[in-house]
mmCIF file of all heavy atoms in Angstrom:
data_model
loop_
_atom_site.group_PDB
_atom_site.id
_atom_site.type_symbol
_atom_site.label_atom_id
_atom_site.label_comp_id
_atom_site.label_asym_id
_atom_site.label_seq_id
_atom_site.Cartn_x
_atom_site.Cartn_y
_atom_site.Cartn_z
ATOM 1 N N LYS B 65 8.684 -38.922 -17.490
ATOM 2 C CA LYS B 65 7.304 -39.058 -18.014
ATOM 3 C C LYS B 65 6.204 -38.625 -17.001
ATOM 4 O O LYS B 65 5.112 -38.465 -17.283
ATOM 5 C CB LYS B 65 7.017 -40.424 -18.444
ATOM 6 C CG LYS B 65 7.814 -40.941 -19.708
ATOM 7 C CD LYS B 65 7.201 -42.113 -20.212
ATOM 8 C CE LYS B 65 8.153 -42.749 -21.408
ATOM 9 N NZ LYS B 65 9.241 -43.499 -20.875
ATOM 10 N N GLU B 66 6.668 -38.527 -15.784
ATOM 11 C CA GLU B 66 5.799 -38.269 -14.681
ATOM 12 C C GLU B 66 5.662 -36.724 -14.333
ATOM 13 O O GLU B 66 4.945 -36.410 -13.474
ATOM 14 C CB GLU B 66 6.133 -38.993 -13.344
ATOM 15 C CG GLU B 66 6.159 -40.482 -13.699
ATOM 16 C CD GLU B 66 6.675 -41.166 -12.429
ATOM 17 O OE1 GLU B 66 7.802 -40.940 -11.808
ATOM 18 O OE2 GLU B 66 5.925 -42.132 -11.873
ATOM 19 N N ILE B 67 6.282 -35.937 -15.156
ATOM 20 C CA ILE B 67 6.274 -34.450 -14.978
ATOM 21 C C ILE B 67 5.263 -33.854 -15.896
ATOM 22 O O ILE B 67 5.460 -33.896 -17.097
ATOM 23 C CB ILE B 67 7.642 -33.860 -15.098
ATOM 24 C CG1 ILE B 67 8.696 -34.477 -14.218
ATOM 25 C CG2 ILE B 67 7.719 -32.268 -14.952
ATOM 26 C CD1 ILE B 67 8.448 -34.362 -12.678
ATOM 27 N N VAL B 68 4.290 -33.120 -15.425
ATOM 28 C CA VAL B 68 3.391 -32.446 -16.277
ATOM 29 C C VAL B 68 3.616 -30.933 -15.989
ATOM 30 O O VAL B 68 3.487 -30.409 -14.840
ATOM 31 C CB VAL B 68 1.906 -32.739 -15.937
ATOM 32 C CG1 VAL B 68 0.920 -31.896 -16.607
ATOM 33 C CG2 VAL B 68 1.603 -34.275 -16.037
ATOM 34 N N PHE B 69 3.939 -30.307 -17.206
ATOM 35 C CA PHE B 69 4.120 -28.709 -17.043
ATOM 36 C C PHE B 69 2.876 -28.131 -16.937
ATOM 37 O O PHE B 69 1.923 -28.345 -17.659
ATOM 38 C CB PHE B 69 5.044 -28.276 -18.091
ATOM 39 C CG PHE B 69 6.495 -28.622 -17.970
ATOM 40 C CD1 PHE B 69 7.141 -29.583 -18.929
ATOM 41 C CD2 PHE B 69 7.329 -28.222 -16.940
ATOM 42 C CE1 PHE B 69 8.441 -29.911 -18.771
ATOM 43 C CE2 PHE B 69 8.684 -28.525 -16.890
ATOM 44 C CZ PHE B 69 9.185 -29.438 -17.730
ATOM 45 N N THR B 70 2.759 -27.037 -16.061
ATOM 46 C CA THR B 70 1.597 -26.215 -15.915
ATOM 47 C C THR B 70 2.098 -24.836 -15.874
ATOM 48 O O THR B 70 3.296 -24.406 -15.965
ATOM 49 C CB THR B 70 0.889 -26.448 -14.590
ATOM 50 O OG1 THR B 70 1.662 -26.093 -13.543
ATOM 51 C CG2 THR B 70 0.493 -28.031 -14.467
ATOM 52 N N SER B 71 1.168 -23.752 -15.617
ATOM 53 C CA SER B 71 1.518 -22.401 -15.435
ATOM 54 C C SER B 71 2.151 -22.085 -14.115
ATOM 55 O O SER B 71 2.663 -20.973 -13.909
ATOM 56 C CB SER B 71 0.287 -21.489 -15.839
ATOM 57 O OG SER B 71 -0.682 -21.726 -14.771
ATOM 58 N N GLY B 72 2.030 -22.968 -13.183
ATOM 59 C CA GLY B 72 2.508 -22.664 -11.766
ATOM 60 C C GLY B 72 1.880 -23.584 -10.842
ATOM 61 O O GLY B 72 1.048 -24.435 -11.148
ATOM 62 N N ALA B 73 2.341 -23.312 -9.472
ATOM 63 C CA ALA B 73 1.805 -24.342 -8.467
ATOM 64 C C ALA B 73 0.273 -24.260 -8.260
ATOM 65 O O ALA B 73 -0.356 -25.113 -7.908
ATOM 66 C CB ALA B 73 2.518 -23.916 -7.229
ATOM 67 N N THR B 74 -0.244 -23.052 -8.439
ATOM 68 C CA THR B 74 -1.664 -22.804 -8.280
ATOM 69 C C THR B 74 -2.443 -23.804 -9.273
ATOM 70 O O THR B 74 -3.343 -24.475 -8.832
ATOM 71 C CB THR B 74 -2.170 -21.416 -8.406
ATOM 72 O OG1 THR B 74 -1.536 -20.573 -7.315
ATOM 73 C CG2 THR B 74 -3.615 -21.241 -8.461
ATOM 74 N N GLU B 75 -1.968 -23.766 -10.563
ATOM 75 C CA GLU B 75 -2.678 -24.577 -11.533
ATOM 76 C C GLU B 75 -2.360 -26.031 -11.082
ATOM 77 O O GLU B 75 -3.383 -26.891 -11.308
ATOM 78 C CB GLU B 75 -2.184 -24.333 -12.882
ATOM 79 C CG GLU B 75 -2.938 -25.062 -14.002
ATOM 80 C CD GLU B 75 -2.318 -25.030 -15.369
ATOM 81 O OE1 GLU B 75 -1.747 -23.929 -15.661
ATOM 82 O OE2 GLU B 75 -2.603 -25.975 -16.176
ATOM 83 N N SER B 76 -1.180 -26.363 -10.757
ATOM 84 C CA SER B 76 -0.865 -27.757 -10.368
ATOM 85 C C SER B 76 -1.816 -28.181 -9.278
ATOM 86 O O SER B 76 -2.244 -29.393 -9.398
ATOM 87 C CB SER B 76 0.636 -27.857 -10.058
ATOM 88 O OG SER B 76 1.512 -27.619 -11.032
ATOM 89 N N ASP B 77 -1.946 -27.477 -8.296
ATOM 90 C CA ASP B 77 -2.778 -27.727 -7.096
ATOM 91 C C ASP B 77 -4.255 -27.982 -7.579
ATOM 92 O O ASP B 77 -4.935 -28.937 -7.100
ATOM 93 C CB ASP B 77 -2.782 -26.767 -5.997
ATOM 94 C CG ASP B 77 -1.504 -26.880 -5.239
ATOM 95 O OD1 ASP B 77 -0.978 -27.911 -5.032
ATOM 96 O OD2 ASP B 77 -1.010 -25.792 -4.710
ATOM 97 N N ASN B 78 -4.636 -27.104 -8.411
ATOM 98 C CA ASN B 78 -6.031 -27.155 -8.824
ATOM 99 C C ASN B 78 -6.234 -28.428 -9.738
ATOM 100 O O ASN B 78 -7.198 -29.130 -9.678
ATOM 101 C CB ASN B 78 -6.489 -26.004 -9.692
ATOM 102 C CG ASN B 78 -7.033 -24.879 -8.938
ATOM 103 O OD1 ASN B 78 -8.210 -24.725 -8.650
ATOM 104 N ND2 ASN B 78 -6.142 -23.988 -8.267
ATOM 105 N N LEU B 79 -5.224 -28.736 -10.585
ATOM 106 C CA LEU B 79 -5.397 -29.961 -11.430
ATOM 107 C C LEU B 79 -5.211 -31.211 -10.588
ATOM 108 O O LEU B 79 -6.069 -32.079 -10.921
ATOM 109 C CB LEU B 79 -4.236 -29.867 -12.551
ATOM 110 C CG LEU B 79 -4.086 -31.163 -13.363
ATOM 111 C CD1 LEU B 79 -5.412 -31.279 -14.252
ATOM 112 C CD2 LEU B 79 -2.940 -30.921 -14.403
ATOM 113 N N ALA B 80 -4.491 -31.180 -9.573
ATOM 114 C CA ALA B 80 -4.480 -32.396 -8.696
ATOM 115 C C ALA B 80 -5.752 -32.592 -8.084
ATOM 116 O O ALA B 80 -6.407 -33.752 -8.089
ATOM 117 C CB ALA B 80 -3.247 -32.241 -7.735
ATOM 118 N N LEU B 81 -6.262 -31.566 -7.424
ATOM 119 C CA LEU B 81 -7.495 -31.834 -6.609
ATOM 120 C C LEU B 81 -8.767 -32.097 -7.524
ATOM 121 O O LEU B 81 -9.473 -33.053 -7.363
ATOM 122 C CB LEU B 81 -7.752 -30.619 -5.692
ATOM 123 C CG LEU B 81 -7.152 -30.744 -4.394
ATOM 124 C CD1 LEU B 81 -5.729 -30.462 -4.298
ATOM 125 C CD2 LEU B 81 -7.883 -29.687 -3.320
ATOM 126 N N LYS B 82 -8.952 -31.140 -8.505
ATOM 127 C CA LYS B 82 -10.061 -31.254 -9.288
ATOM 128 C C LYS B 82 -10.046 -32.444 -10.262
ATOM 129 O O LYS B 82 -11.025 -33.102 -10.569
ATOM 130 C CB LYS B 82 -10.389 -29.943 -10.104
ATOM 131 C CG LYS B 82 -10.668 -28.796 -9.101
ATOM 132 C CD LYS B 82 -10.734 -27.499 -9.756
ATOM 133 C CE LYS B 82 -11.045 -26.421 -8.833
ATOM 134 N NZ LYS B 82 -10.837 -24.995 -9.282
ATOM 135 N N GLY B 83 -8.815 -32.720 -10.797
ATOM 136 C CA GLY B 83 -8.595 -33.766 -11.773
ATOM 137 C C GLY B 83 -8.829 -35.112 -11.183
ATOM 138 O O GLY B 83 -9.383 -36.004 -11.694
ATOM 139 N N VAL B 84 -8.269 -35.296 -9.822
ATOM 140 C CA VAL B 84 -8.556 -36.574 -9.182
ATOM 141 C C VAL B 84 -9.946 -36.856 -8.727
ATOM 142 O O VAL B 84 -10.487 -37.871 -8.973
ATOM 143 C CB VAL B 84 -7.611 -36.636 -7.886
ATOM 144 C CG1 VAL B 84 -8.049 -37.755 -6.928
ATOM 145 C CG2 VAL B 84 -6.135 -36.797 -8.203
ATOM 146 N N VAL B 85 -10.615 -35.734 -8.250
ATOM 147 C CA VAL B 85 -11.978 -35.876 -7.863
ATOM 148 C C VAL B 85 -12.888 -36.235 -8.963
ATOM 149 O O VAL B 85 -13.746 -37.072 -8.869
ATOM 150 C CB VAL B 85 -12.456 -34.506 -7.115
ATOM 151 C CG1 VAL B 85 -13.963 -34.496 -6.958
ATOM 152 C CG2 VAL B 85 -11.834 -34.541 -5.693
ATOM 153 N N GLU B 86 -12.649 -35.453 -10.127
ATOM 154 C CA GLU B 86 -13.487 -35.803 -11.290
ATOM 155 C C GLU B 86 -13.213 -37.277 -11.794
ATOM 156 O O GLU B 86 -14.153 -37.947 -12.100
ATOM 157 C CB GLU B 86 -13.106 -34.799 -12.382
ATOM 158 C CG GLU B 86 -13.735 -35.022 -13.734
ATOM 159 C CD GLU B 86 -15.210 -34.837 -13.750
ATOM 160 O OE1 GLU B 86 -15.760 -34.119 -12.813
ATOM 161 O OE2 GLU B 86 -15.956 -35.396 -14.566
ATOM 162 N N MET B 87 -11.928 -37.658 -11.856
ATOM 163 C CA MET B 87 -11.664 -39.020 -12.326
ATOM 164 C C MET B 87 -12.067 -40.119 -11.413
ATOM 165 O O MET B 87 -12.497 -41.157 -11.952
ATOM 166 C CB MET B 87 -10.122 -39.070 -12.686
ATOM 167 C CG MET B 87 -9.592 -40.241 -13.291
ATOM 168 S SD MET B 87 -10.435 -40.569 -14.964
ATOM 169 C CE MET B 87 -9.370 -39.546 -16.029
ATOM 170 N N TYR B 88 -12.087 -39.933 -10.194
ATOM 171 C CA TYR B 88 -12.316 -40.985 -9.200
ATOM 172 C C TYR B 88 -13.699 -40.818 -8.567
ATOM 173 O O TYR B 88 -13.865 -41.442 -7.478
ATOM 174 C CB TYR B 88 -11.219 -41.196 -8.192
ATOM 175 C CG TYR B 88 -9.879 -41.580 -8.800
ATOM 176 C CD1 TYR B 88 -9.012 -40.646 -9.315
ATOM 177 C CD2 TYR B 88 -9.489 -42.929 -8.889
ATOM 178 C CE1 TYR B 88 -7.803 -40.934 -9.921
ATOM 179 C CE2 TYR B 88 -8.290 -43.251 -9.512
ATOM 180 C CZ TYR B 88 -7.422 -42.312 -10.004
ATOM 181 O OH TYR B 88 -6.206 -42.724 -10.635
ATOM 182 N N LYS B 89 -14.530 -40.153 -9.130
ATOM 183 C CA LYS B 89 -15.919 -39.836 -8.502
ATOM 184 C C LYS B 89 -16.754 -41.077 -8.227
ATOM 185 O O LYS B 89 -17.539 -41.072 -7.400
ATOM 186 C CB LYS B 89 -16.667 -38.774 -9.211
ATOM 187 C CG LYS B 89 -17.122 -39.103 -10.608
ATOM 188 C CD LYS B 89 -17.699 -37.786 -11.218
ATOM 189 C CE LYS B 89 -17.921 -38.113 -12.716
ATOM 190 N NZ LYS B 89 -18.237 -36.780 -13.470
ATOM 191 N N GLU B 90 -16.459 -42.061 -9.043
ATOM 192 C CA GLU B 90 -17.252 -43.392 -8.874
ATOM 193 C C GLU B 90 -16.838 -44.093 -7.599
ATOM 194 O O GLU B 90 -17.568 -44.799 -6.999
ATOM 195 C CB GLU B 90 -17.087 -44.317 -10.045
ATOM 196 C CG GLU B 90 -17.352 -43.732 -11.426
ATOM 197 C CD GLU B 90 -18.810 -43.355 -11.650
ATOM 198 O OE1 GLU B 90 -19.690 -43.988 -10.929
ATOM 199 O OE2 GLU B 90 -19.148 -42.320 -12.156
ATOM 200 N N LYS B 91 -15.545 -43.759 -7.197
ATOM 201 C CA LYS B 91 -14.964 -44.473 -6.141
ATOM 202 C C LYS B 91 -15.225 -43.848 -4.695
ATOM 203 O O LYS B 91 -15.348 -44.510 -3.757
ATOM 204 C CB LYS B 91 -13.373 -44.500 -6.246
ATOM 205 C CG LYS B 91 -12.717 -45.813 -5.787
ATOM 206 C CD LYS B 91 -11.162 -45.660 -6.003
ATOM 207 C CE LYS B 91 -10.542 -46.347 -4.831
ATOM 208 N NZ LYS B 91 -9.145 -45.829 -4.571
ATOM 209 N N GLY B 92 -15.406 -42.496 -4.787
ATOM 210 C CA GLY B 92 -15.786 -41.832 -3.556
ATOM 211 C C GLY B 92 -15.765 -40.310 -3.758
ATOM 212 O O GLY B 92 -15.681 -39.824 -4.798
ATOM 213 N N ASP B 93 -16.128 -39.660 -2.561
ATOM 214 C CA ASP B 93 -16.291 -38.129 -2.703
ATOM 215 C C ASP B 93 -15.865 -37.429 -1.576
ATOM 216 O O ASP B 93 -16.335 -36.394 -1.098
ATOM 217 C CB ASP B 93 -17.848 -37.842 -2.902
ATOM 218 C CG ASP B 93 -18.656 -38.361 -1.653
ATOM 219 O OD1 ASP B 93 -18.052 -38.977 -0.743
ATOM 220 O OD2 ASP B 93 -19.771 -38.103 -1.657
ATOM 221 N N HIS B 94 -14.696 -38.033 -0.949
ATOM 222 C CA HIS B 94 -14.112 -37.374 0.287
ATOM 223 C C HIS B 94 -12.754 -37.000 0.084
ATOM 224 O O HIS B 94 -11.912 -37.852 -0.317
ATOM 225 C CB HIS B 94 -14.328 -38.386 1.539
ATOM 226 C CG HIS B 94 -13.816 -37.771 2.882
ATOM 227 N ND1 HIS B 94 -12.998 -38.522 3.662
ATOM 228 C CD2 HIS B 94 -14.054 -36.596 3.262
ATOM 229 C CE1 HIS B 94 -12.756 -37.747 4.725
ATOM 230 N NE2 HIS B 94 -13.265 -36.586 4.494
ATOM 231 N N VAL B 95 -12.384 -35.822 0.524
ATOM 232 C CA VAL B 95 -10.982 -35.314 0.391
ATOM 233 C C VAL B 95 -10.480 -34.863 1.789
ATOM 234 O O VAL B 95 -11.273 -34.251 2.521
ATOM 235 C CB VAL B 95 -10.875 -34.150 -0.585
ATOM 236 C CG1 VAL B 95 -9.511 -33.538 -0.629
ATOM 237 C CG2 VAL B 95 -11.261 -34.589 -1.990
ATOM 238 N N ILE B 96 -9.266 -35.224 2.139
ATOM 239 C CA ILE B 96 -8.734 -34.747 3.433
ATOM 240 C C ILE B 96 -7.604 -33.779 3.140
ATOM 241 O O ILE B 96 -6.678 -33.995 2.311
ATOM 242 C CB ILE B 96 -8.188 -36.005 4.236
ATOM 243 C CG1 ILE B 96 -9.273 -37.025 4.459
ATOM 244 C CG2 ILE B 96 -7.448 -35.515 5.421
ATOM 245 C CD1 ILE B 96 -8.833 -38.227 4.956
ATOM 246 N N THR B 97 -7.619 -32.628 3.873
ATOM 247 C CA THR B 97 -6.418 -31.704 3.716
ATOM 248 C C THR B 97 -6.341 -31.058 5.095
ATOM 249 O O THR B 97 -6.766 -31.559 6.107
ATOM 250 C CB THR B 97 -6.782 -30.764 2.606
ATOM 251 O OG1 THR B 97 -5.754 -29.839 2.503
ATOM 252 C CG2 THR B 97 -8.058 -29.786 2.970
ATOM 253 N N THR B 98 -5.586 -29.934 5.256
ATOM 254 C CA THR B 98 -5.292 -29.350 6.510
ATOM 255 C C THR B 98 -5.857 -27.884 6.446
ATOM 256 O O THR B 98 -6.008 -27.328 5.390
ATOM 257 C CB THR B 98 -3.844 -29.299 6.982
ATOM 258 O OG1 THR B 98 -3.174 -28.288 6.157
ATOM 259 C CG2 THR B 98 -3.120 -30.604 6.786
ATOM 260 N N SER B 99 -5.922 -27.265 7.591
ATOM 261 C CA SER B 99 -6.502 -25.909 7.643
ATOM 262 C C SER B 99 -5.449 -24.806 7.376
ATOM 263 O O SER B 99 -5.717 -23.686 7.239
ATOM 264 C CB SER B 99 -7.025 -25.589 9.099
ATOM 265 O OG SER B 99 -6.086 -26.022 10.029
ATOM 266 N N THR B 100 -4.133 -25.274 7.055
ATOM 267 C CA THR B 100 -3.083 -24.344 6.862
ATOM 268 C C THR B 100 -2.535 -24.431 5.468
ATOM 269 O O THR B 100 -1.414 -23.876 5.229
ATOM 270 C CB THR B 100 -1.922 -24.422 7.914
ATOM 271 O OG1 THR B 100 -1.535 -25.869 7.853
ATOM 272 C CG2 THR B 100 -2.336 -24.169 9.285
#
Side-chain angles (χ1 to χ4, degrees):
Chain B
K65 293 195 188 79
E66 297 176 310
I67 303 300
V68 173
F69 286 116
T70 65
S71 62
T74 293
E75 186 188 330
S76 297
D77 283 327
N78 272 268
L79 178 56
L81 268 77
K82 293 172 182 172
V84 163
V85 165
E86 174 66 21
M87 186 56 88
Y88 295 87
K89 61 186 172 195
E90 305 298 324
K91 218 182 141 204
D93 61 355
H94 179 227
V95 174
I96 297 168
T97 186
T98 74
S99 53
T100 56

